[in-house]
Amino acid sequence: MHRPRRNRQTPVIRAMVRETTLAAADLILPMFLHEDLVDTPILSMPGVTRWSLESLVREAGAAHALGIPAIVLFPKIEEDLKSPQAGESFNDDGLVPRAIRALKAAHPTLCVITDVALDPYNSDGHDGIVRKNARGELIILNDETVEVLCQQAVCHARAGADIVAPSDMMDGRVAAIRNALDAEDFTDVLILSYTAKYASALYGPFRGALDSAPKDGDKKTYQMDPANSREAIRETLLDEAEGADMLMVKPAGLYLDVIARVRDTSTLPVAAYQVSGEYLMLKSAAAGGWLDERDIVLESLLAIKRAGASMILTYFATQAAQWLKED
Ligand code: PBG
């Protein structure tokens, strides 16, 4: 008789045969920041804070001390700095470049990743530059947007960013950003491409955190249709050919099949983003006493890893690293 249970009988044997492990080194912490001097709890994401510059540096240091290698910056930009052309997105004295400089000065070994997209800076709330065509329809201008994204990526690199992560889903942006970085001598700056970013309902709480929801229309002409996974392969092959160093699938938990397909298609490292709506679902079930927070969070992260992600962006990063340390 076959007895698979023999391999499950004790903690020691289970540890020996375990196929997937989760470590703080796998986790990347997305962090919100703003110009204010006080920290603000984010109402749409209980337990998550929008930090002042000073607190950001302190909290990033605390996460790094727990073994978290990297953070991603998400700025809330003042309303009067937003414009249709999103010029603030490549201001060398803007919030993000100042944050990068402060973080690298305080924590030289912390890997600083920046989000490259126009939505926090664009008065229209879209990831690209918006125009109304002759029929009055909303058009997201691809190539004009890519030019601004290149300036934004170079601006972040100049400030000291280790990795730039275009999250906009415009066509051709990875190759264009690679060329722009290389032309400015930033050949060592990595590109983590949001390869398969879906037009998901799970981003709602994030847009609340940054006041960055589109004013008009939705993001379905650039973010992917949740019904498609072969299309993720197409995006993977293009990003690889265009020179991406790392690929990302987003969201994570509802897209484990896509993570697995991207993993099998490419030899590049794959990241996955457990987004704000995923955070909120787990957090609220735990707050209601319905699920055990520690168990469900660690299981959700382990599942993302098992599917093929080597890096996981998660708002639970610091808490999970603490739990893993206690184990
Ligand atoms: C925007 C961006 C979004 C997220 C990360 N970068 C929102 C969007 O595409 O509308 C979402 C992250 C989350 O929900 O946690 N470029």
Side-chain angles (χ1 to χ4, degrees), residues 74 115 117 119 127 167 194 197 202-203 206-207 219 223 250 273 275-276 315:
F74 291 104
D115 194 68
D119 52 316
D127 291 27
S167 70
Y194 284 68
K197 175 173 178 177
L202 291 166
Y203 307 146
F206 173 98
R207 293 176 190 167
K219 299 193 174 185
Q223 298 181 349
K250 174 184 177 182
Y273 196 149
V275 301
S276 58
Y315 301 100

Side-chain angles (χ1 to χ4, degrees), residues 59-305:
E59 295 299 317
H64 195 38
L66 281 166
I68 294 168
I71 60 153
V72 195
L73 294 176
F74 291 104
K76 180 175 157 87
I77 301 300
E78 325 251 274
E79 222 40 60
D80 58 351
L81 291 176
K82 298 186 183 185
S83 71
Q85 302 299 320
E88 178 65 13
S89 64
F90 53 89
N91 173 3
D92 284 319
D93 295 318
L95 183 57
V96 167
R98 276 183 285 129
I100 300 168
R101 288 192 288 266
L103 285 163
K104 292 305 285 189
H107 316 296
T109 60
L110 175 73
C111 178
V112 175
I113 306 176
T114 59
D115 194 68
V116 173
L118 304 189
D119 52 316
Y121 305 93
N122 179 311
S123 38
D124 299 296
H126 276 284
D127 291 27
I129 296 171
V130 172
R131 181 168 70 78
K132 282 244 168 79
N133 72 6
R135 274 182 281 170
E137 295 157 341
L138 201 80
I139 306 286
I140 309 296
L141 299 174
N142 192 90
D143 301 5
E144 291 80 348
T145 298
V146 170
E147 281 176 32
V148 184
L149 297 174
C150 288
Q151 290 179 275
Q152 187 183 17
V154 169
C155 163
H156 293 171
R158 209 180 285 128
D162 300 282
I163 303 180
V164 293
S167 70
D168 55 288
M169 291 302 280
M170 296 301 121
D171 293 330
R173 94 276 209 212
V174 171
I177 290 172
R178 185 71 270 157
N179 284 337
L181 289 171
D182 291 355
E184 298 286 330
D185 213 19
F186 295 120
T187 49
D188 285 342
V189 173
L190 290 83
I191 299 178
L192 164 58
S193 175
Y194 284 68
T195 298
K197 175 173 178 177
Y198 287 88
S200 172
L202 291 166
Y203 307 146
F206 173 98
R207 293 176 190 167
L210 295 185
D211 236 341
S212 63
K215 301 276 183 295
D216 204 357
D218 54 40
K219 299 193 174 185
K220 290 180 183 169
T221 67
Y222 45 107
Q223 298 181 349
M224 282 176 54
D225 184 340
N228 296 353
S229 82
R230 282 194 300 273
E231 195 181 340
I233 304 300
R234 185 178 188 204
E235 291 283 3
T236 298
L237 297 173
L238 285 170
D239 278 358
E240 219 175 39
E242 289 185 33
D245 300 286
M246 302 165 162
L247 309 175
M248 196 194 306
V249 174
K250 174 184 177 182
L254 299 185
Y255 295 83
L256 297 182
D257 57 323
V258 178
I259 296 173
R261 287 193 82 171
V262 170
R263 163 75 297 152
D264 287 344
T265 304
S266 176
T267 56
L268 293 176
V270 178
Y273 196 149
Q274 184 179 56
V275 301
S276 58
E278 297 177 78
Y279 174 84
L280 197 63
M281 289 197 292
L282 301 181
K283 200 76 184 171
S284 35
W290 301 106
L291 292 175
D292 180 88
E293 183 168 357
R294 181 187 173 284
D295 289 353
I296 191 59
V297 169
L298 293 180
E299 183 177 334
S300 72
L301 297 173
L302 189 68
I304 294 165
K305 220 165 151 219

